[in-house]
Amino acid sequence: MSQADAVSTRPLPPGVSEAGFARAVDAFTAALGADKVLTSDADLREFRDPFQHATWDAYTASAIVMPTSVEEIQAVLRVANE
């Protein structure tokens, strides 16, 4: 199972289909490595706005990417632009 399979119930970014999001997560993982792409509920909770009500999902992340070099940032932007 790919990481994208684990995020299929998450809120999707506007204008992105579930299949497109799954492809993006797989592409982020291929570019950055699995340790720099977070998709678990526990990991995503760490990045929630601490002042947001627990029941509000308007700004809930679908995934977290953590590039650490210029090349990785460029790779993230290429995937995001697709």
Side-chain angles (χ1 to χ4, degrees):
M1 175 167 67
S2 71
Q3 279 197 357
D5 294 334
V7 296
S8 62
T9 60
R10 307 227 182 282
L12 296 173
V16 177
S17 70
E18 191 169 312
F21 182 72
R23 285 190 303 273
V25 169
D26 286 342
F28 289 138
T29 302
L32 303 177
D35 60 324
K36 294 182 181 179
V37 180
L38 307 178
T39 58
S40 75
D41 288 338
D43 288 335
L44 296 178
R45 266 193 301 277
E46 292 295 317
F47 289 87
R48 279 185 66 94
D49 180 345
F51 300 103
Q52 180 175 321
H53 290 282
T55 58
W56 291 357
D57 288 328
Y59 300 105
T60 299
S62 302
I64 306 295
V65 294
M66 300 183 301
T68 56
S69 69
V70 170
E71 292 79 15
E72 288 179 348
I73 292 169
Q74 291 169 335
V76 167
L77 291 173
R78 274 192 295 277
V79 172
N81 281 322
E82 289 176 12

